[in-house]
Amino acid sequence: MMKQPDARALIWSQLNRKWDVIVIGGGITGAGVFREAVHAGLTTLLVEAGDYASGTSSRSSKLVHGGLRYMKNAQFKTTIESVSEREHLLRQGKGLINRLGFLFTSLQDDPMPGWVFGIGLMAYDLMARQWTHRAYDRLDMRELCPLLTTPLLKGGYRYFDAQTDDARLVLRVIQEGEQAGGTAINYARVAGLLRTQNGRTCGVTLQDAWNPEENAILELQAEAVVNATGARVNELRSGIGQNQRIRPLRGSHLIFPGKRIPLSRAISLWHPQDGRPVFFLPWEGVTLVGTTDIDHPDLQQEPIISQEETEYLLQAAWHLFPELDIQAGDIQGTFSGLRPVISHGKRDPSKESRDHILWQEDGLITIAGGKLTTFRLMARDVLNCLRGYFPQLESFNRDRPILDSPPDWLDQVLQFDGLKPADRLRLAGRYGAAIPGLLAVACPGEFQKIANTEYLWAELRYAARAENVLHLADLLLRRVRLGLLLPEGGRQHLPEIRRIVQPELGWDEVRWTQESRQYLETWRKCYNLPH
Ligand code: FAD
């Protein structure tokens, strides 16, 4: 395997050719379009300004869901389509997308009677053509979740949705596009659009964000350019004189150690302050509490949780679990992302539609809004639009798999001592056909778990060697999620991490010191409590 910087330099040197499609943005939306365009036989390039999934797609609630809350705003089409996508993803993404039980509590001071939610759940189950929800009284709810000691508890409902690792889902989709013949590069920023004399978009100006001192800039021609830059789609659209229609809304989460709020299923409540649903989600050994929904108009500002959002989420914890005596000091970390929501001029951010939208303006195709869960539907709309550019394209076939099936030999390869069935499934879901590479690089003892997480040391070595890691934050916040799962972003484990990954990354002492300092600074600023 070639070292990362050499592999990237080789890709960069081969970019200068005419592409059928250039996809801008390596979040889940761009990843989905990339994979489908490659599978449709188009020569496709995906470019990402930072790291893959470094935007919203690594900072979601990590649910693959129909979005029950959207039914409250009568967004039934969004819910129906999302439920159907959830079922496909659960079937095809085993080990990466897992079913998760939910308990929705009914409390005495709720803004609506519990039975209204029950009717919503009935419709939700009907959409998925399954009957999984159930009503419980107060005592049953306490039996299912002994932490529910609040005297306000009247009862509640159980239902099912699904959960994933959002950043790994993005990586898997991009890697499947690459394996099918597409080209993807991170740390490559589109600085502007190329246009023909009659104003039609015909390519991009690409800046090497990895080697800016070399000031490497390429002008790349393409038949079609897709703008999938999430909350930033207006930046490229404004270049062709289009007006602002995206309303960036910040959503934040608190992270608690699993031991502090121990849950075996997700729990939710209507927030006592504004009646929005707030979720307590067990994820990879920690408990996530979210989310908020606040205007974030200045995109130059990184999304970071505010003091008010912290208090809002803590208030939900105090309301639901008064006896746990949760304090701000229990919070292990935080993260915030920006929803690229299409503005319909609603006063209340939570009332804005979560549907996606596609604009075709002077040859530039912009796709935005939507959800992690609906990435394939967004890709479908782009592919159907691309038929206007490539008349030979067949119409989009929704029966084609969303994710590649694991190869037949995979199970066999994973059968060895030291890997439990749950580990095998997890690895298959995350690495698929790349597993032989992961097994080949592992050194003795590296099938041990890292601290109290599910991650194996071998995953860290493999990511450093083969998964386009250019900064330590790429590795610890997105390839493996140790930055979210361990106290202080895993600071205590950095010496051991260094021993494994420094040689793989080819970094000298100075570079390691710089990278670890930069990583800890990013963690302190964006993944910690506000100061
Ligand atoms: P992004 O992930 O932001 O990707 C856009 C990418 O474009 C970025 O990586 C950025 O660096 C890149 N880019 C920008 N400008 C340029 C440029 N000039 N050149 C090259 N690249 C560029 N959905 C769900 O289904 N389930 C959930 O549980 C869920 N929870 C959520 C919770 C929160 C708090 C938020 C904010 C959203 C949530 N969503 C959820 C929605 C979902 O996360 C987003 O809809 C989705 O991640 C958006 O993906 P994207 O690819 O459009 O944008």
Side-chain angles (χ1 to χ4, degrees):
M1 259 181 241
M2 207 185 277
K3 290 274 182 213
Q4 303 282 303
D6 300 339
R8 188 179 177 284
L10 184 66
I11 293 177
W12 180 268
S13 70
Q14 292 170 346
L15 294 183
N16 211 348
R17 50 174 285 191
K18 169 116 196 232
W19 298 90
D20 287 338
V21 184
I22 294 180
V23 181
I24 313 170
I28 192 66
T29 307
V33 172
F34 172 64
R35 182 185 181 279
E36 294 303 331
V38 175
H39 277 100
L42 301 172
T43 55
T44 309
L45 168 67
L46 179 135
V47 292
E48 162 56 50
D51 185 29
Y52 300 128
S54 57
T56 304
S57 299
S58 58
R59 310 181 205 196
S60 76
S61 303
K62 295 145 199 8
L63 298 177
V64 172
H65 64 154
L68 256 173
R69 73 181 92 167
Y70 310 132
M71 283 171 58
K72 197 174 156 220
N73 297 341
Q75 292 164 20
F76 297 113
K77 183 167 157 271
T78 312
T79 312
I80 292 173
E81 291 191 329
S82 309
V83 164
S84 157
E85 291 304 288
R86 178 194 71 193
E87 293 305 303
H88 285 300
L89 282 162
L90 270 168
R91 271 195 300 278
Q92 295 166 24
K94 289 196 177 91
L96 179 59
I97 297 133
N98 301 310
R99 204 169 275 285
L100 177 68
F102 281 71
L103 290 178
F104 207 107
T105 56
S106 173
L107 305 182
Q108 274 163 23
D109 56 358
D110 279 348
M112 66 170 88
W115 58 265
V116 177
F117 191 71
I119 291 179
L121 280 178
M122 232 184 270
Y124 201 57
D125 266 357
L126 284 173
M127 287 173 193
R129 299 202 194 103
Q130 50 187 244
W131 202 252
T132 59
H133 76 278
R134 207 181 139 177
Y136 289 111
D137 65 17
R138 190 162 55 98
L139 292 177
D140 287 338
M141 286 289 279
R142 281 206 182 137
E143 204 162 303
L144 289 168
C145 176
L147 298 184
L148 284 173
T149 53
T150 167
L152 296 173
L153 185 69
K154 290 197 302 184
Y157 288 89
R158 177 204 69 185
Y159 66 98
F160 289 91
D161 253 321
Q163 190 178 47
T164 189
D165 174 336
D166 45 7
R168 282 298 332 175
L169 179 63
V170 173
L171 279 175
R172 175 156 168 191
V173 175
I174 292 177
Q175 284 165 1
E176 289 186 2
E178 289 178 308
Q179 279 151 18
T183 303
I185 186 160
N186 53 355
Y187 292 96
R189 181 177 165 271
V190 169
L193 300 174
L194 301 181
R195 302 171 73 186
T196 60
Q197 274 181 348
N198 61 7
R200 195 183 154 79
T201 306
C202 61
V204 303
T205 310
L206 193 67
Q207 217 169 26
D208 190 347
W210 171 240
N211 282 321
E213 67 276 12
E214 287 177 20
N215 208 14
I217 291 189
L218 294 175
E219 291 202 338
L220 302 179
Q221 303 282 330
E223 202 61 44
V225 178
V226 179
N227 174 12
T229 53
R232 295 187 174 270
V233 288
N234 285 339
E235 290 175 2
L236 291 173
R237 288 179 68 235
S238 61
I240 51 171
Q242 298 298 331
N243 59 6
Q244 309 279 312
R245 284 282 308 281
I246 291 289
R247 181 175 179 183
L249 295 177
R250 187 173 71 238
S252 301
H253 289 82
L254 302 177
I255 309 172
F256 289 91
K259 279 193 296 216
R260 195 63 186 90
I261 311 183
L263 296 174
S264 56
R265 23 168 99 72
I267 310 251
S268 47
L269 79 162
W270 302 115
H271 197 286
Q273 187 179 308
D274 57 6
R276 289 183 58 254
V278 171
F279 291 84
F280 293 73
L281 303 160
W283 181 73
E284 304 263 337
V286 296
T287 299
L288 309 178
V289 183
T291 166
T292 55
D293 210 5
I294 291 180
D295 278 306
H296 184 96
D298 182 1
L299 290 176
Q300 300 316 314
Q301 297 288 331
E302 263 291 302
I304 296 171
I305 193 169
S306 66
Q307 188 65 35
E308 293 72 39
E309 289 172 278
T310 309
E311 278 164 19
Y312 173 89
L313 294 173
L314 278 174
Q315 208 186 339
W318 296 328
H319 200 65
L320 198 56
F321 305 121
E323 288 188 11
L324 279 187
D325 190 26
I326 303 280
Q327 302 295 327
D330 295 316
I331 299 169
Q332 177 177 298
T334 68
F335 60 91
S336 301
L338 296 180
R339 297 181 180 87
V341 168
I342 316 303
S343 173
H344 293 88
K346 306 268 185 200
R347 244 173 69 111
D348 178 355
S350 297
K351 294 225 158 69
E352 292 284 16
S353 165
R354 269 36 173 177
D355 288 339
H356 66 265
I357 200 158
L358 183 147
W359 291 300
Q360 201 181 352
E361 298 150 335
D362 294 337
L364 176 70
I365 301 169
T366 295
I367 179 87
K371 306 192 298 155
L372 197 72
T373 312
T374 54
F375 73 90
R376 201 261 301 251
L377 299 177
M378 297 169 79
R380 172 199 64 189
D381 289 357
V382 172
L383 265 281
N384 284 336
C385 178
L386 285 175
R387 291 173 73 203
Y389 299 68
F390 306 98
Q392 79 281 8
L393 273 194
E394 288 175 13
S395 61
F396 189 85
N397 180 357
R398 217 178 140 178
D399 292 334
R400 274 233 329 268
I402 302 188
L403 297 170
D404 294 350
S405 329
D408 295 338
W409 43 259
L410 195 60
D411 222 27
Q412 201 69 36
V413 170
L414 284 168
Q415 297 293 333
F416 62 90
D417 288 347
L419 273 191
K420 299 202 179 87
D423 296 330
R424 289 185 194 127
L425 189 63
R426 232 187 113 259
L427 291 180
R430 279 168 171 73
Y431 303 94
I435 283 190
L438 186 146
L439 301 183
V441 301
C443 294
E446 289 183 0
F447 289 105
Q448 302 290 327
K449 302 257 162 93
I450 304 176
N452 53 353
T453 72
E454 291 303 312
Y455 285 103
L456 309 176
W457 290 101
E459 290 178 74
L460 206 57
R461 183 182 293 283
Y462 176 72
R465 189 175 302 186
E467 291 197 315
N468 309 303
V469 169
L470 295 183
H471 289 293
L472 191 58
D474 306 343
L475 181 68
L476 298 183
L477 290 170
R478 291 173 286 275
R479 301 303 179 280
V480 298
R481 315 301 301 269
L482 297 179
L484 303 186
L485 302 179
L486 295 173
E488 293 186 73
R491 175 198 280 268
Q492 190 198 326
H493 301 274
L494 283 181
E496 184 64 0
I497 292 171
R498 175 184 187 170
R499 192 185 58 75
I500 292 180
V501 306
Q502 190 179 343
E504 297 295 344
L505 293 163
W507 293 347
D508 59 18
E509 302 290 302
V510 176
R511 178 77 194 281
W512 175 268
T513 309
Q514 261 173 8
E515 285 288 340
S516 50
R517 202 175 286 152
Q518 201 178 322
Y519 163 67
L520 290 171
E521 179 59 16
T522 303
W523 186 88
R524 194 191 60 73
K525 232 175 86 192
C526 304
Y527 293 86
N528 197 4
L529 276 180
H531 290 283

